[in-house]
Amino acid sequence: MKIIAALLILGSFSARGTDPSLKPQIDPTKKAKYAERQRFLVDLDGDGVDDMLLSGSRDEFGTMGGPWTVYLKRGEDYKSAGEIWAHPMAIAFEPAQTRFHTDPKTHRFARVWVYLKSSGSAGSFGYYCVGKDSIDAMASLEIYPGDAGTVVGNAIYEATFKKSPIPYKLQTSKTGEDGTVKWPETKKH
């Protein structure tokens, strides 16, 4: 009887859907058993339910940032829309002006604004548009923020990343020796 109850409980977990952030990532550097990742919880499509951006492992990141897979929450499952490149400290989310378009060619839910540092005083500033099934290539230009930057470059950076129009949570995983992934709660930004 206990075995049947255990199987029913396990079955109910698998029926609840798949969350890719709960699957442990093997550490590619072999310095540890598992690699820790970060995730953003943010409502990209305006349906009142948090979607997710899930990072690669830390060894894939540099001063410019790293890869993030964008997942839209659909029922109990997450559907990958594509990948972006971003630094977790230079990102902001805003509703796209085309979110009300009915034509799938132009309909987009949100813009993900990023700054990809290329030197101490320059980098690419731009955005990715998140659609139902895809992410548009980054639209960008070079700006000059930071101590050696320009007044305009610093103003653009400050205006974009000081406060995200769509609030989000940034979390860092904690993976147990058994592969159980937990995401400690954080406050909204």
Side-chain angles (χ1 to χ4, degrees), residues 61-149:
F61 279 69
T63 57
M64 189 169 77
W68 300 79
T69 304
V70 178
Y71 293 97
L72 298 174
K73 181 88 183 225
R74 298 294 178 249
E76 295 297 320
D77 291 321
Y78 287 90
K79 183 177 185 263
S80 173
E83 190 174 90
I84 68 166
W85 197 271
H87 191 285
M89 303 316 287
I91 193 165
F93 306 92
E94 77 169 343
Q97 292 294 318
T98 59
R99 66 190 175 280
F100 301 113
H101 288 194
T102 56
D103 183 351
K105 292 178 184 174
T106 59
H107 179 266
R108 299 295 180 267
F109 296 119
R111 285 183 177 184
V112 180
W113 287 91
V114 300
Y115 175 72
L116 306 176
K117 182 178 180 179
S118 57
S119 73
S121 62
S124 294
F125 169 79
Y127 62 88
Y128 297 92
C129 281
V130 178
K132 179 181 174 187
D133 300 310
S134 64
I135 297 175
D136 298 342
M138 182 179 165
S140 67
L141 61 108
E142 186 174 59
I143 64 169
Y144 310 109
D147 292 340

Side-chain angles (χ1 to χ4, degrees), residues 40-45 49-52 71-74:
F40 286 99
L41 298 178
V42 56
D43 183 8
L44 295 171
D45 55 10
V49 176
D50 279 340
D51 303 298
M52 176 173 52
Y71 293 97
L72 298 174
K73 181 88 183 225
R74 298 294 178 249

